[in-house]
Amino acid sequence: MNRFLYYGWSAEAIPGYNCTDYKPLVPNPNVNVLGGALDVAYGIIVIFLYAPTVVVFHRQSRLACFKIMFFLGLFDIGAIMINSLVTGFLLMNGASYCDYPNFIYISGSVGLGCWCSACLTCLVLALNRILDMVCPLMVKIYFRGYRTCAVLMAPILYGCFFFLFTSPIIFSAEHQTWFFDPRTMKGHYKDYTNIPHTINNFSLVFLTCFLYIFFCLKVRSQFRKSFRPKRTARQRQIFLQSTLLCLIHLSASVLYVIMQFVEMPKFFTILSQYLWQLAQGCPVIIYLLFNRKVRAALLVFMTSSSQDKSSNYIRKSADNRMMLLQLTPSQNTTTAVRKLTENDNYLQCKIHLTQGEPPKQEETIQDRADTEKREL
């Protein structure tokens, strides 16, 4: 991205990214309306599920794990916007780099930065969970209060490094996925190799998988002494969550690295694209399916929102009915007013004025007239 800014906000001005020899194909054989529509639909569904979940994580951010998952959710949403929504749009139009050079260059930089930030955030989350089980004192030292935000500055800066100082991924409609090679010069794919991305995909992802395996073994050792069905089910859930996350991330990482160096069949390039989409979208699905605390917090959030709307409606209705309840000579008038206005100081004063036998309508009007004369 720094070269994009250096060469005057123009991707075509960057050496190796010019499109002087590009000739659009008519008709375009790379148009795939169905595949693009499926990508867009998947992206919309994942963002629809992730948005309220991220809000719940923010509200529960007093706990370090929820704060980490909040940042992970932001990175995943950013990546989903690129690898699903943008990819679907480009695929429906059969567009490659030279059709929208600036748009694809910027989108590729954003998608790469979000992917790498999410990888390091997953590693931080795994470390937090292991330290919480093995050494809770270290969790208090490094993940207490605003110290968690200081730790999470590492994934943010890490992603900014890839966004600004490394080669972006470029969409190829022919292969329906993203490569580092813009395909503007045949036989020069090695000139576009992104070594930091290769290191990221092998080191961080493998290390995260190793930590999750260690986490599962630690959970098993703690539950070994107990044969209660609930603990056994909890152990299976943790193992299943970790296994799914590791397999999807590992498969997407390895395939994306291999296809940058080796010419692979189109089936594998499309599979790598779907695995990338799944790797960024599966966390929210796993949270909602297997994490009881996240489901409970999301349920409380949704029900509290609906209760707030109901209470606002009741409060407005109470304001409109107040005079009618006060002037109606009924034995239940005082009780009705108290129920509708129990949290309103002004209307509570009205309750004190109407205690005892409800006054007649004529007497109430006369008292009001006497009060107005005194004020005059």
Side-chain angles (χ1 to χ4, degrees):
M1 194 65 185
N2 61 329
R3 292 187 295 172
F4 177 80
L5 302 176
Y6 178 79
Y7 284 97
W9 298 75
S10 176
E12 290 189 77
I14 303 173
Y17 287 87
N18 62 82
C19 297
T20 55
D21 298 331
Y22 173 71
K23 295 180 181 179
L25 300 176
V26 181
N28 192 342
N30 299 320
V31 174
N32 189 342
V33 178
L34 178 60
L38 291 176
D39 288 341
V40 172
Y42 172 80
I44 292 174
I45 292 173
V46 170
I47 293 176
F48 178 78
L49 293 175
Y50 232 138
T53 309
V54 167
V55 175
V56 169
F57 292 160
H58 178 69
R59 292 193 173 187
Q60 301 289 333
S61 58
R62 63 182 181 275
L63 298 176
C65 61
F66 281 102
K67 194 173 296 184
I68 298 171
M69 288 190 289
F70 169 75
F71 278 85
L72 179 60
L74 295 181
F75 298 140
D76 283 339
I77 290 175
I80 285 294
M81 293 179 67
I82 303 301
N83 64 25
S84 297
L85 301 183
V86 173
T87 299
F89 166 76
L90 296 174
L91 196 56
M92 285 189 288
N93 290 276
S96 292
Y97 167 73
C98 288
D99 294 303
Y100 305 101
N102 291 338
F103 177 69
I104 292 179
Y105 192 95
I106 296 173
S107 299
S109 299
V110 173
L112 180 63
C114 290
W115 161 255
C116 295
S117 292
C119 289
L120 188 54
T121 307
C122 286
L123 180 64
V124 173
L125 181 61
L127 284 173
N128 174 264
R129 294 293 81 205
I130 291 175
L131 291 178
D132 189 40
M133 183 178 297
V134 177
C135 186
L137 181 60
M138 293 187 67
V139 174
K140 294 181 180 180
I141 295 175
Y142 297 106
F143 293 96
R144 184 176 181 179
Y146 288 101
R147 296 176 185 176
T148 307
C149 295
V151 172
L152 289 171
M153 285 300 297
I156 295 175
L157 296 176
Y158 187 71
C160 288
F161 166 76
F162 281 88
F163 172 74
L164 291 173
F165 302 109
T166 65
S167 302
I169 47 176
I170 304 297
F171 183 73
S172 171
E174 180 183 358
H175 297 87
Q176 299 184 22
T177 189
W178 297 74
F179 290 89
F180 290 104
D181 184 4
R183 309 280 170 161
T184 56
M185 296 187 300
K186 294 183 179 180
H188 291 268
Y189 67 92
K190 293 183 179 180
D191 297 337
Y192 302 94
T193 302
N194 192 326
I195 299 301
H197 170 264
T198 303
I199 296 173
N200 171 85
N201 280 25
F202 278 107
S203 61
L204 286 184
V205 175
F206 275 96
L207 183 58
T208 303
C209 293
F210 172 77
L211 290 177
Y212 272 116
I213 293 172
F214 178 79
F215 177 69
C216 292
L217 294 177
K218 191 65 179 178
V219 171
R220 181 182 178 183
S221 64
Q222 287 192 353
F223 287 166
R224 184 177 297 174
K225 297 180 180 179
S226 175
F227 297 96
R228 296 179 183 178
K230 289 185 178 180
R231 292 190 175 182
T232 304
R234 178 61 177 165
Q235 180 183 350
R236 290 175 181 174
Q237 285 186 2
I238 293 173
F239 178 76
L240 185 58
Q241 292 180 54
S242 305
T243 303
L244 288 175
L245 281 172
C246 291
L247 284 178
I248 295 172
H249 277 80
L250 188 61
S251 302
S253 302
V254 172
L255 268 179
Y256 245 91
V257 170
I258 293 176
M259 74 180 188
Q260 306 299 328
F261 299 95
V262 180
E263 192 71 25
M264 300 181 66
K266 189 175 180 179
F267 169 78
F268 287 102
T269 60
I270 297 175
L271 178 62
S272 65
Q273 174 63 26
Y274 288 155
L275 286 173
W276 182 24
Q277 294 175 347
L278 192 59
Q280 307 280 185
C282 70
V284 66
I285 300 174
I286 292 175
Y287 294 153
L288 297 178
L289 288 179
F290 302 108
N291 198 313
R292 180 177 54 84
K293 291 184 179 180
V294 174
R295 288 201 309 269
L298 185 61
L299 181 62
V300 170
F301 169 72
M302 300 300 291
T303 54
S304 63
S305 299
S306 60
Q307 289 176 357
D308 291 340
K309 293 180 181 178
S310 302
S311 62
N312 291 334
Y313 175 78
I314 293 174
R315 191 177 296 109
K316 292 179 181 178
S317 302
D319 295 338
N320 295 331
R321 298 173 186 173
M322 179 184 64
M323 292 303 299
L324 178 63
L325 291 170
Q326 284 184 318
L327 297 177
T328 303
S330 173
Q331 293 180 354
N332 296 327
T333 300
T334 302
T335 305
V337 174
R338 184 179 296 114
K339 287 182 179 180
L340 290 173
T341 61
E342 59 183 351
N343 292 326
D344 195 317
N345 294 330
Y346 174 73
L347 297 180
Q348 283 177 357
C349 295
K350 292 294 183 181
I351 292 174
H352 293 299
L353 293 175
T354 57
Q355 283 181 350
E357 290 294 328
K360 296 181 180 180
Q361 185 172 359
E362 294 81 1
E363 294 177 353
T364 305
I365 296 174
Q366 183 63 36
D367 292 340
R368 183 181 301 172
D370 295 339
T371 303
E372 292 176 355
K373 288 180 181 179
R374 295 192 203 97
E375 292 177 354
L376 293 173

